[in-house]
Amino acid sequence: MDINLLLSAALTGIFCYLGAVDSAPLLGVTGGFYVVGRPLVAGFLTGLAFGDVKAGVLCGLAVQAVFIANLSTGGATNSEITYASYGGLGLALATTKDPAVAVTLAILIGQTFGLIFHNSKQAFFSFFNNRAQKAAENADGKGIVYNHVIYPQLVIFIIRFLPVTLAIYFGKGMVNWLLNSVPHQITDIIAVLGGVLPALGVAMLMSIVIKQKIQLIFFFAGFVLIAFANLSTLALVFIAALIAYLVYIATSNQQKQPLAATNLGAEIDTSKDDAAYEDEDMF
């Protein structure tokens, strides 16, 4: 038994529980889902668990780019990002530490096993909700606490900690066997697709954020500055903030001008009416 791998896998499973949207210790979405549950943070924490923070952050960046435009609309989700983050990153760090492999594993785990366990959790919760409602009708305080807090948290911990821990511990050998057994052309294709998927995530985000095609100029300008002017990302952030402020001032002035013209026209019409009334009074 590989104790080091088991401990790293167990820590990753605990982080997966803490990053859940309904995890109590970190207040759900407040410190869990939107902080610990993000792939970039997951990469850092998983890197700590496996003793390689740099590789964890690099893999987390790649996975974060894929899921950067992931939305849950009306309670429906197309991928469970927490399972994808910790399951995919944990397996990647346990095997190749390749960001492309991490992306592939994250998508596979998030869109298959993650959704299965997520839907199973919802089914369990409906059972506890009925019990909690009956306890409330009977004024049973302990029953409310157990069925509304204790039992659901146990279910969340079990269906997150155990699958992720076991997948990393027992999946390491399987992933290594697959990567060593399949032809190198297949692994090259996986690497290429894994590198393209982050770009797809950024493109999805751009389709949401960019409202006018003319705004693509700013994106290409930033790309050129980084690729050819060798600017750092931090420097580009300050330049982008300055440009955004200038654009905001320009657009706000354009919106004020029609309003000022409308007010001026109203004042002119009012003065004409007053003059007409004065003429009528004189005669």
Side-chain angles (χ1 to χ4, degrees):
M1 178 181 290
D2 191 344
I3 300 298
N4 291 330
L5 177 60
L6 181 60
L7 289 176
S8 299
L11 282 175
T12 306
I14 293 173
F15 291 143
C16 183
Y17 162 70
L18 294 176
V21 68
D22 36 22
S23 175
L26 295 181
L27 304 180
V29 296
T30 305
F33 187 70
Y34 286 118
V35 179
V36 178
R38 299 298 93 184
L40 181 57
V41 180
F44 172 74
L45 295 176
T46 308
L48 286 177
F50 281 87
D52 194 343
V53 176
K54 181 180 178 180
V57 171
L58 290 176
C59 292
L61 278 171
V63 176
Q64 179 71 69
V66 175
F67 290 95
I68 196 169
N70 185 57
L71 298 174
S72 298
T73 306
T77 180
N78 59 354
S79 181
E80 223 296 338
I81 190 171
T82 314
Y83 282 101
S85 299
Y86 288 99
L89 292 173
L91 269 176
L93 291 179
T95 54
T96 63
K97 300 182 180 181
D98 185 357
V101 175
V103 169
T104 305
L105 293 173
I107 293 175
L108 174 64
I109 293 174
Q111 294 188 342
T112 54
F113 301 105
L115 288 180
I116 292 173
F117 289 120
H118 175 75
N119 294 330
S120 300
K121 177 202 68 176
Q122 299 295 83
F124 278 115
F125 277 12
S126 63
F127 171 73
F128 292 127
N129 286 338
N130 292 331
R131 288 172 58 93
Q133 184 176 357
K134 291 180 180 179
E137 292 173 354
N138 297 326
D140 183 4
K142 285 187 177 180
I144 295 174
V145 172
Y146 276 107
N147 290 283
H148 190 65
V149 179
I150 305 299
Y151 295 150
Q153 289 301 310
L154 287 175
V155 170
I156 296 170
F157 181 80
I158 291 171
I159 65 175
R160 287 185 178 272
F161 173 78
L162 287 181
V164 171
T165 302
L166 295 177
I168 295 173
Y169 185 77
F170 293 104
K172 176 183 178 180
M174 182 179 295
V175 172
N176 284 328
W177 175 79
L178 286 174
L179 293 176
N180 294 327
S181 300
V182 298
H184 67 88
Q185 292 88 351
I186 303 298
T187 57
D188 292 341
I189 292 173
I190 293 175
V192 171
L193 292 177
V196 171
L197 288 173
L200 179 61
V202 174
M204 292 173 62
L205 179 64
M206 290 172 59
S207 66
I208 297 173
V209 175
I210 294 178
K211 303 301 181 183
Q212 299 176 355
K213 292 183 178 180
I214 191 65
Q215 295 174 347
L216 287 171
I217 294 176
F218 300 112
F219 171 77
F220 290 118
F223 177 80
V224 169
L225 288 174
I226 287 182
F228 299 102
N230 294 325
L231 287 180
S232 64
T233 306
L234 183 61
L236 189 63
V237 167
F238 286 105
I239 295 174
L242 176 61
I243 294 175
Y245 180 68
L246 294 176
V247 171
Y248 169 74
I249 293 176
T251 53
S252 60
N253 289 335
Q254 289 178 357
Q255 293 175 357
K256 290 178 180 178
Q257 288 177 357
L259 182 61
T262 303
N263 294 334
L264 180 61
E267 292 177 358
I268 294 174
D269 292 339
T270 303
S271 62
K272 288 181 179 179
D273 293 339
D274 293 341
Y277 290 140
E278 290 177 359
D279 292 341
E280 290 177 358
D281 292 339
M282 290 178 63
F283 297 99

